[in-house]
Amino acid sequence: MIRHSVTIGWADAPLKRFVDDARLELAVLLHTSGQVLAQVGFQRSLDVQTACALSAAINASAEHLGGMLDGKPFTGLHYAGKARQIYLGQVPTKDSRLLVLAVFDTESSLGIVQLYLKELYANVAAAAPALEDSSPALAENFEADLNRNLAQLFGRP
Amino acid sequence: MSAFASALAAVTRHRGVMACLVVAEEDGIVIDGSAQVGVDTAAFAALTASLYRKASRASGSAGFGQTSFCELEAERGRVLAAGRNGIVLVAVAESRANLGLLRVELLKAAGGL
Amino acid sequence: MSADIRAMSEQLAADPSSLIFLPLAEQLLGRGDLAHASRVARKGAERHAHRADVHDLVARIALAQGDESTAERAWRQSLSIAPEFGAAHRGLGFLCYRQGRWSEAEAHLGTARSATPGDPALEAAWEALHVARAEAEAAPAAPAVAHTPGQIFDEALGDSGQVALLLDRDGLVVAGQYLTAEGEDLGALIGAHLSGVGDEATRAMRHFGLGAWTRIALETEAATVVMAPTDDGVTLVAAPREVPLGLVRRTLEQCATVARQWLGGAA
């Protein structure tokens, strides 16, 4: 199942605009914990769940790896495949930070994604509700869900 | 001195040129460049490379073959791009800049990319 | 199929460079087989592009098919090869007369009359022209002769080999045409592919701080393509590479003006 924040909907417009402006195929905006805030372009809810779980895991790894190698966390990751590319970046907010995963093909480019990412920062900041409303709505079993999803993805029972 | 220094110098010496950038065509990232203060080089690089790519694909699909030069004229200036071997040379100029000269210079510089 | 046509077809098949296509296309035209006549004549025009009479034949077949713009283009091609070629002046005179372009009709028919004095058909056309012109001038001012959407740019384009299209915001052709030598209109294809370039420019301008875009020029292997925003669409002109860029830009300005006027009139 997809988990939403309690203030579901506020992030839809900024993310939709980011997708349209940067001509992305898919994008998802999530908490660093892996909880989805908004998504555009996904066909199945399971895919969103998977993408969020993996993105959160990758971000956590990159932060630690950056700390080890560079003395500070890595905050963006770009991978160029044959036909599609992904960009996973942090979106700073007033009180914390979110993650955005962007998937794009030749209609866009890394430069374009990075350009419109700056606009996304501003639009998210403008649209985000106050801290007490926007914090992730951690369900009792969220941690368990996340771990289960990751275990499934990596083929562990 | 970078490999692109002479190409950049040849373009930026012209009157009215605000920036000249060497940009990777596929990802729109600046490789090298020279710009006046206040010019958003990342935006010009990403969007001009994107325009150039779009124009190349469109002209190819329309049967006109590969694009070698692209000019975008606007109310308060113009952006020119010439590409070769996956690299696009982008010039941003004021309206008063001599288009004919810039075009020739850009094509010549692009030929050496 | 008559024996004549069969024999000529066989002769043409045996020797594609033969001028036998001229009487063959004439015969097909005379029989009303316009599609075959057009095909034969156009193939012949490709091989014998330097002959004024070949373009005259293409023009007469196009006119019989109701394609006035192709006919006009072909006759103008004839005149670019042989400026005094009577048949082309005769055809253009007749065409301009049909379209109410009196001065042009008078000029072409006058030249044709000089080339073949006493030709009864030309004399009758000359008389009819003056009667029609006098009636038109005596009548209260009427709206300008409406061109079909495919023809609105013909005058602005002239004989330079350039083509123009007016596209809407979705890349669909509103006016103009892009005809190949075979008579196929590629306007829809060209429009669909190239209109996206305008969208890309519009997006870019939001970040450039240079105001709205006013013109895009692309130089490609085979053509120079220029476009300008027109209403909520785009006017596009494509020209062979040998046409100077300055001329293509000038043609674009003229075509954009024509498009705005035409849209204003059509609204």
Side-chain angles (χ1 to χ4, degrees):
Chain A
M1 75 185 254
I2 303 176
R3 297 189 173 278
H4 296 284
S5 83
V6 288
T7 51
I8 181 171
W10 70 263
D12 289 348
L15 189 67
K16 176 77 169 56
R17 182 158 178 197
F18 176 53
V19 168
D20 289 345
D21 285 344
R23 314 249 162 93
L24 306 177
E25 279 192 42
L26 310 167
V28 59
L29 188 67
L30 60 145
H31 287 288
T32 48
S33 62
Q35 277 190 288
V36 63
L37 269 168
Q39 67 83 22
V40 177
F42 284 86
Q43 299 289 320
R44 298 183 312 162
S45 59
L46 181 65
D47 293 341
V48 183
Q49 203 174 7
T50 304
C52 287
L54 285 172
S55 298
I58 292 168
N59 179 63
S61 305
E63 282 197 328
H64 283 291
L65 198 59
M68 280 169 56
L69 299 177
D70 204 25
K72 59 185 180 202
F74 292 146
T75 55
L77 177 143
H78 172 237
Y79 174 77
K82 207 168 182 182
R84 285 173 159 179
Q85 303 180 48
I86 62 165
Y87 184 83
L88 176 66
Q90 294 189 354
V91 181
T93 61
K94 194 175 164 193
D95 306 298
S96 63
R97 65 188 190 281
L98 303 171
L99 297 178
V100 65
L101 174 70
V103 181
F104 55 100
D105 61 12
T106 54
E107 280 298 303
S108 190
S109 66
L110 177 60
I112 291 286
V113 171
Q114 289 181 337
L115 178 70
Y116 285 104
L117 202 57
K118 288 181 199 159
E119 289 198 358
L120 178 70
Y121 294 168
N123 293 336
V124 162
L131 178 63
E132 57 272 23
D133 295 331
S134 64
S135 55
L138 277 172
E140 290 166 9
N141 55 350
F142 174 73
E143 193 93 26
D145 280 351
L146 179 60
N147 287 335
R148 194 187 63 238
N149 291 335
L150 286 170
Q152 281 172 354
L153 285 165
F154 292 112
R156 291 196 297 268
Chain B
M1 196 161 120
S2 88
F4 305 107
S6 61
L8 292 170
V11 177
T12 49
R13 72 186 168 87
H14 289 283
R15 202 164 59 97
V17 174
M18 297 190 285
C20 184
L21 308 167
V22 180
V23 183
E25 184 178 334
E26 275 312 304
D27 60 19
I29 303 288
V30 179
I31 298 169
D32 198 355
S34 162
Q36 290 178 3
V37 176
V39 175
D40 186 347
T41 53
F44 276 105
L47 292 161
T48 308
S50 182
L51 176 70
Y52 189 86
R53 270 201 326 273
K54 181 90 185 177
S56 294
R57 278 205 301 267
S59 60
S61 304
F64 294 138
Q66 260 191 325
T67 299
S68 55
F69 181 78
C70 171
E71 183 215 351
L72 174 62
E73 190 170 321
E75 291 166 324
R76 295 189 296 278
R78 48 175 55 116
V79 182
L80 301 96
R84 192 158 181 257
N85 293 337
I87 293 174
V88 183
L89 196 57
V90 175
V92 183
E94 297 167 18
S95 298
R96 69 187 170 104
N98 183 322
L99 174 63
L101 256 181
L102 263 182
R103 173 179 167 274
V104 169
E105 202 68 76
L106 212 62
L107 285 169
K108 201 165 81 182
L113 290 174
Chain C
M1 189 189 285
S2 77
D4 274 1
I5 289 178
R6 188 188 303 275
M8 285 190 282
S9 301
E10 285 168 2
Q11 196 179 332
L12 186 61
D15 179 11
S17 64
S18 158
L19 288 173
I20 196 69
F21 77 91
L22 280 166
L24 173 59
E26 287 283 7
Q27 284 244 9
L28 291 166
L29 173 61
R31 288 163 57 100
D33 186 352
L34 301 179
H36 284 112
S38 174
R39 204 165 155 194
V40 170
R42 283 172 189 277
K43 284 278 175 205
E46 282 174 19
R47 283 185 175 272
H48 304 277
H50 60 287
R51 289 187 62 115
D53 56 344
V54 174
H55 297 291
D56 170 56
L57 178 59
V58 170
R60 284 186 287 117
I61 295 168
L63 193 64
Q65 291 176 308
D67 185 351
E68 293 186 354
S69 63
T70 299
E72 180 166 353
R73 224 173 359 245
W75 272 318
R76 292 196 185 284
Q77 186 73 28
S78 279
L79 291 181
S80 70
I81 297 163
E84 299 301 318
F85 188 51
H89 282 294
R90 181 193 193 108
L92 279 173
F94 176 64
L95 188 63
C96 293
Y97 164 67
R98 272 201 355 190
Q99 294 178 348
R101 292 151 62 188
W102 310 123
S103 300
E104 287 174 80
E106 190 169 359
H108 286 300
L109 285 176
T111 310
R113 283 175 80 221
S114 308
T116 48
D119 182 317
L122 277 175
E123 293 308 316
W126 184 254
E127 198 173 323
L129 166 67
H130 285 94
V131 170
R133 184 174 194 168
E135 283 175 0
E137 285 169 358
V145 176
H147 291 290
T148 62
Q151 299 171 323
I152 67 167
F153 299 119
D154 286 1
E155 281 170 47
L157 293 170
D159 307 327
S160 54
Q162 299 174 90
V163 294
L165 295 169
L166 172 63
L167 307 171
D168 70 10
R169 72 169 82 176
D170 297 316
L172 299 172
V173 176
V174 178
Q177 52 193 351
Y178 191 116
L179 292 176
T180 63
E182 288 74 36
E184 191 186 354
D185 189 353
L186 296 183
L189 174 81
I190 306 283
H193 287 301
L194 286 169
S195 65
V197 178
D199 297 338
E200 197 73 29
T202 301
R203 176 178 73 161
M205 297 322 294
R206 286 204 285 122
H207 298 266
F208 286 176
L210 300 175
W213 71 275
T214 53
R215 180 165 52 214
I216 298 170
L218 309 177
E219 293 180 36
T220 73
E221 282 172 302
T224 301
V225 181
V226 290
M227 56 186 92
T230 308
D231 276 18
D232 60 351
V234 163
T235 301
L236 178 153
V237 171
R241 279 303 296 262
E242 53 270 23
V243 180
L245 181 57
L247 177 61
V248 187
R249 283 162 54 118
R250 192 173 284 255
T251 306
L252 174 68
E253 282 169 25
Q254 290 168 350
C255 288
T257 304
V258 168
R260 285 189 196 99
Q261 286 168 351
W262 184 78
L263 286 170

